[in-house]
Amino acid sequence: MAASLDPIALFEAVRDAGGAIVDFRCMDLNERAEQFLGRPRDVLLGALISEALPRSREVGFIDRCVSVVGDGEPVEIEERVNDPAVGVRWVRYRIARVDDGVAIAVRDITDRKFDEESLRVGEERFRLLVETASDGIYRIDPRGIFIYANPVAGRVLGVGDEGLVGRTYLDFVRPDYRVEGIELYTRQIKNHTPVTYWEFPALRADGREVWVGQNVQIEVQDGRVTSLYAVARDITARRYAENALRESEERYRFLAEHSRDMLARLDPGGRFVYVSPACRAMLGVEPEQLLDTPFADLCEAEDADAVRAAHERLRDARDAEITSTRMRHADGREVWCETTHQAIVDAESGNVTGFLIVARDVTERRRLEEELRHVQKMEAVGQLAGGVAHDFNNLLTAIRGFSDVLFQSIRADDPRRGDVLEICKATDRAATLTRQLLAFSRRQVMRPEPLNLNTVVTDLARILQRLLGEGVTVSTRLDEDLAIVRADPGQMEQVLLNLALNARDAMAPAGGTLRIETANVDMPAAPDSRHAPGRYAVLRVSDTGVGMTAEVRDRLFEPFFTTKERGRGTGLGLSMVYGIVTQSGGFITVDSTPGQGATLAIHLPAAGTGADTARRPASRARTVPAAGGTILIAEDSEGVRMLAERILRDEGYTVLAARDGVEALEVARAHEGTIDLLLTDVMMPRMNGGELARAFAAERPDTLVAIMSGYMDEHALRRTLDNPETPILQKPFSGATLVERVRAILQQPATR
Ligand code: ADP
Ligand code: MG
């Protein structure tokens, strides 16, 4: 019977409580069993199981013992014991058959039981957590296939009930991000990086795009990565907000830093808190230098008050205010500045916390506006002067002509001859004035030809020295390669003469130096330039005289503007210069400071390389024999018409006269014989000279035509005529000139 196996010793070895039971009585037990059953060994030995273990029936203990003895199969029973002293415990009974009874091993498995329980509950809780999480949670195998995904993940990626499991993760990554994703996770798997974070645009199954930010954790078993866990979130809204913010910030910074306008933020006291780099170009200062300086302090005193007043208004009104202020550039020049001010209002308190300003340099614009105003004024004055001069010219022509006639009719010894001569002289002076006015208004007959301004200077230099007197030293410096221009040589002489005379007056009585220079200047093709780009020949006249103030400089070219005493200056000299230069396509610059002399520079555009297209004025026939013939005069100015009639009739011509083109045609149609010459004015009521000439070409092709005009630019006039060779007789003309020209025309049979 001796047990080959001592179960109790065995129990001790495995540290279970244990005992042997034969016939339902306790035959042996170890110390742990004593503790477990709570009674000493001697009381327990021989006791019935039901006595030793009061709960044995409930546990089904006795039945199990019977079955073990019966079939020899060991059994295990687990019992949950609620011990008031220590709380819930779990006990496991293992019952096995031994020789004549059973051995029972009892073990406290509470700890293990609890572990299992918590694991079960934990898993349950965890599952609940994952399923209801607001983030998408998924697990992917190393090949990139979804092994698990919670419902949110499916929703984020736009897959419905079919779920993500089995699908390929990369399919949901926008193609241009795939390489980055592959690289990132390949690296994570290779390096066993515990966690990574990545943001990528995901292509949902429905085609929409969302931005996803995901934390990925690797799962490692036996040194190998078996799967990747991801917690992913839809960050689309955040991304867009961030992007929009970043973009708009960048845009604003770009605008502020690159704008030519000066952008700034002022504190409530109007002091700079921020100012854009444009202040360097605009005011010649570094942004840092302006900080804490009141904006108003940059402005001229009276403008500063306007700025402060604007800020004061902004505190209540909150609309934008615009100020126009003068400022000083660091280099001393004046800068006109147009500034928009806007209050910055605190949304909560409603207080003005500062001002935003945008300041624009409008100096150049103002200068151009000023210049435009000036040019327009000159234009208007020119038109007025031209109109007056035109009528005046006709009157002078008549006065001059009839004076001539009168002079001729008075005998040489008659004292009244001297009186008539005075009338003639006064008329000549008046004619000079009108010519200057006409030059200014650009209505002078101009005969431009290719011209080297150097010749004008050298031709005139000797006369000039004599004209200007001992006190004035004349020095010339001429550019030998001076560009050829197209200009009327006579006019250019007048220009130089006028500049020289003004210089003399400016240097009187002390005298000084008059410098005449020529040079080429190239005008760049600047978009805001007032002058056509290209090469110009420049005639520069400088003196060492009194110079002029800005006011004088501004009005210099106005007709009748003079600072000279009555009777000395007419104020027409520079007006004429202006007219001639402008008519020749050029411009004048003036450089002068009071007390420092003056420099006036005439710029004329270089002529194209074209041939000499200007026609030399027809050489005047000096001695032309008198010849009869019929001449039709068409002229609306009665004085001129009567004068011409009188002079030509006295010369032996048959003269017909008409007051305009229509009457001239009527007269011609009524006239039986030939008409050798039609002498017509240009501007006439009803039908002008050009139309009349055309009518004559049709009706009386043999009649020669000549134009009388004191009015227009010869080029412009010729363009209105069908026959460019038509002779032009410039008003005012003397009787002698008229006779001379008419004779010459009638002797040139080819001219019509
Ligand atoms: P005028 O000589 O008859 O006064 P201008 O038209 O020639 O008329 O000149 C107008 C005014 O311009 C002059 O009265 C003078 O004040 C000023 N001016 C012209 N040239 C000079 C110069 N070289 N230096 C100083 N002032 C000048
Ligand atoms: Mg003058």
Side-chain angles (χ1 to χ4, degrees):
M1 83 136 254
S4 54
L5 178 99
D6 179 0
I8 301 304
L10 211 68
F11 295 151
E12 285 298 328
V14 298
R15 312 173 77 213
D16 283 352
I21 291 166
V22 177
D23 293 341
F24 305 108
R25 280 183 192 277
C26 219
M27 295 307 291
D28 197 3
L29 74 167
N30 67 3
E31 208 173 315
R32 280 172 195 266
E34 283 177 287
Q35 285 165 10
F36 175 66
L37 297 171
R39 275 183 264 178
R41 182 183 165 86
D42 46 322
V43 177
L44 291 168
L45 282 179
L48 279 168
I49 294 174
S50 51
E51 288 168 12
L53 188 67
R55 307 180 305 276
S56 55
R57 190 165 300 280
E58 295 136 50
V59 177
F61 197 74
I62 294 169
D63 296 348
R64 296 295 169 85
C65 288
V66 173
S67 85
V68 167
V69 171
D71 60 17
E73 279 290 308
V75 295
E76 270 186 22
I77 305 166
E78 288 182 359
E79 185 200 7
R80 187 174 185 274
V81 186
N82 201 350
D83 183 335
V86 288
V88 173
R89 317 245 3 119
W90 279 86
V91 181
R92 185 191 69 197
Y93 304 91
R94 194 174 275 147
I95 307 169
R97 191 168 72 177
V98 289
D99 302 335
D100 46 356
V102 293
I104 300 174
V106 188
R107 183 182 284 190
D108 185 329
I109 56 164
T110 311
D111 287 353
R112 202 206 76 206
K113 244 349 210 190
F114 272 171
D115 281 355
E116 277 178 18
E117 172 71 5
S118 73
L119 195 65
R120 202 177 52 73
V121 171
E123 262 176 5
E124 181 60 22
R125 253 194 228 131
F126 187 67
R127 198 183 57 78
L128 222 89
L129 210 66
V130 166
E131 306 272 285
T132 58
S134 57
D135 290 339
I137 296 172
Y138 39 83
R139 193 171 159 210
I140 296 170
D141 74 13
R143 293 168 305 150
I145 310 291
F146 285 98
I147 315 172
Y148 165 82
N150 72 350
V152 178
R155 247 176 283 138
V156 170
L157 295 177
V159 289
D161 294 335
E162 71 261 41
L164 283 165
V165 175
R167 306 182 68 149
T168 309
Y169 164 74
L170 220 50
D171 289 348
F172 292 93
V173 177
R174 205 174 72 191
D176 55 325
Y177 269 71
R178 284 183 189 156
V179 172
E180 188 181 324
I182 293 170
E183 280 174 2
L184 171 67
Y185 295 118
T186 311
R187 213 164 40 236
Q188 183 176 15
I189 291 171
K190 188 167 149 256
N191 301 345
H192 287 202
T193 317
V195 188
T196 57
Y197 179 74
W198 188 46
E199 296 186 355
F200 65 97
L203 285 179
R204 290 163 49 98
D206 59 13
R208 257 181 55 211
E209 190 178 294
V210 289
W211 274 86
V212 172
Q214 66 179 12
N215 274 301
V216 170
Q217 199 160 1
I218 46 169
E219 185 191 52
V220 185
Q221 265 174 22
D222 302 329
R224 272 185 45 242
V225 174
T226 49
S227 66
L228 299 120
Y229 282 100
V231 179
R233 178 171 291 188
D234 181 346
I235 54 162
T236 312
R238 198 205 73 205
R239 277 291 288 218
Y240 280 134
E242 275 177 10
N243 273 352
L245 193 67
R246 194 167 49 234
E247 274 170 20
S248 73
E249 264 179 6
E250 274 168 13
R251 219 167 18 234
Y252 284 125
R253 182 165 328 110
F254 182 86
L255 282 178
E257 304 283 303
H258 292 84
S259 173
R260 295 221 294 171
D261 293 345
M262 185 174 85
L263 279 68
R265 192 192 161 113
L266 309 179
D267 70 10
R271 285 174 293 265
F272 283 98
V273 178
Y274 163 82
V275 57
S276 69
C279 65
R280 291 194 192 114
M282 209 165 132
L283 299 170
V285 292
E286 289 298 314
E288 298 76 49
Q289 291 174 265
L290 290 180
L291 296 186
D292 285 331
T293 310
F295 175 75
D297 283 8
L298 301 179
C299 310
E300 301 276 301
E302 62 256 54
D303 297 343
D305 291 340
V307 169
R308 288 189 206 101
H311 286 182
E312 224 32 70
R313 281 194 300 278
L314 280 174
R315 274 178 226 287
D316 311 319
R318 310 279 145 92
D319 289 330
E321 288 274 343
I322 295 175
T323 59
S324 185
T325 58
R326 279 157 298 166
M327 299 185 173
R328 281 272 159 227
H329 191 278
D331 66 13
R333 74 186 143 88
E334 191 178 69
V335 176
W336 275 94
C337 185
E338 207 170 82
T339 310
T340 310
H341 306 252
Q342 184 88 53
I344 308 168
V345 181
D346 181 62
E348 269 168 34
S349 65
N351 290 335
V352 170
T353 58
F355 304 97
L356 284 179
I357 66 166
V358 181
R360 173 166 297 182
D361 183 343
V362 294
T363 317
E364 181 63 10
R365 198 189 73 200
R366 283 186 75 103
R367 194 182 62 72
L368 287 175
E369 282 171 1
E370 200 54 55
E371 207 152 277
L372 185 66
R373 253 200 302 281
H374 190 244
V375 167
Q376 283 170 345
K377 186 170 84 182
M378 297 295 276
E379 207 64 47
V381 174
Q383 256 167 31
L384 181 71
V388 172
H390 173 236
D391 292 344
F392 213 70
N393 224 17
N394 283 327
L395 297 175
L396 284 177
T397 306
I399 296 170
R400 180 61 221 255
F402 282 113
S403 309
D404 272 354
V405 173
L406 192 60
F407 184 75
Q408 307 290 345
S409 69
I410 300 174
R411 293 219 328 248
D413 56 352
D414 193 321
R416 285 174 300 174
R417 250 192 125 155
D419 303 344
V420 179
L421 211 58
E422 283 308 312
I423 298 177
C424 290
K425 276 198 257 170
T427 318
D428 283 346
R429 279 200 297 278
T432 308
L433 277 181
T434 8
R435 204 171 45 249
Q436 287 176 335
L437 270 181
L438 283 171
F440 167 67
S441 66
R442 288 179 250 158
R443 286 170 172 186
Q444 206 188 32
V445 175
M446 187 174 78
R447 292 189 175 80
E449 59 185 67
L451 180 69
N452 188 333
L453 290 177
N454 288 344
T455 29
V456 178
V457 180
T458 38
D459 283 357
L460 216 64
R462 266 162 295 129
I463 314 168
L464 275 182
Q465 185 59 74
R466 230 180 318 129
L467 201 69
L468 301 184
E470 295 288 296
V472 177
T473 315
V474 180
S475 82
T476 54
R477 205 171 76 198
L478 307 180
D479 184 341
E480 286 177 8
D481 297 323
L482 191 66
I484 302 297
V485 298
R486 277 189 64 80
D488 184 322
Q491 286 187 342
M492 283 304 130
E493 278 180 6
Q494 288 186 44
V495 166
L496 182 53
L497 207 59
N498 266 285
L499 296 180
L501 288 175
N502 279 345
R504 178 201 62 188
D505 293 348
M507 295 189 285
T513 305
L514 173 77
R515 212 169 50 239
I516 305 173
E517 292 166 303
T518 58
N520 292 323
V521 164
D522 290 312
M523 281 284 155
D528 56 348
S529 170
R530 290 144 289 148
H531 310 298
R535 171 152 292 204
Y536 286 79
V538 181
L539 173 63
R540 197 176 285 121
V541 178
S542 319
D543 62 58
T544 54
V546 291
M548 48 189 121
T549 61
E551 289 72 42
V552 171
R553 206 167 55 227
D554 282 349
R555 305 191 54 194
L556 209 55
F557 302 115
E558 280 176 32
F560 307 114
F561 173 78
T562 177
T563 58
K564 292 165 195 170
E565 61 190 79
R566 261 178 163 279
R568 298 223 70 202
T570 58
L572 282 173
L574 286 181
S575 310
M576 189 187 68
V577 170
Y578 178 88
I580 290 172
V581 172
T582 332
Q583 193 180 12
S584 308
F587 62 94
I588 312 169
T589 58
V590 184
D591 190 10
S592 179
T593 326
Q596 306 268 327
T599 299
L600 279 88
I602 309 296
H603 297 64
L604 293 180
T609 49
D612 181 347
T613 49
R615 298 158 315 100
R616 295 235 146 240
S619 53
R620 277 164 209 165
R622 295 287 158 212
T623 46
V624 183
T630 305
I631 299 174
L632 170 57
I633 298 169
E635 165 67 67
D636 60 330
S637 161
E638 197 180 352
V640 176
R641 189 176 65 244
M642 280 167 61
L643 171 71
E645 266 186 88
R646 171 75 181 272
I647 291 171
L648 294 174
R649 215 167 262 148
D650 285 357
E651 281 298 309
Y653 294 103
T654 306
V655 180
L656 307 171
R659 278 170 304 194
D660 58 49
V662 174
E663 198 178 284
L665 279 180
E666 286 165 7
V667 170
R669 283 171 194 150
H671 181 72
E672 298 280 289
T674 54
I675 296 175
D676 299 292
L677 174 66
L678 166 69
L679 190 58
T680 176
D681 188 21
V682 181
M683 302 299 271
M684 291 181 295
R686 300 207 286 173
M687 181 189 283
N688 69 32
E691 290 164 334
L692 180 61
R694 214 163 294 133
F696 258 74
E699 293 187 20
R700 282 179 175 270
D702 294 334
T703 301
L704 295 169
V705 178
I707 300 282
M708 296 181 283
S709 173
Y711 180 37
M712 273 166 118
D713 168 3
E714 192 173 322
H715 269 287
L717 181 57
R718 287 199 186 280
R719 275 198 294 277
T720 69
L721 300 172
D722 287 351
N723 182 353
E725 296 297 315
T726 307
I728 293 175
L729 191 56
Q730 196 189 334
K731 287 188 209 168
F733 43 75
S734 67
T737 311
L738 175 64
V739 171
E740 214 173 85
R741 293 295 309 272
V742 166
R743 271 193 208 153
I745 292 163
L746 287 174
Q747 288 204 335
Q748 292 176 348
T751 309
R752 175 172 299 150

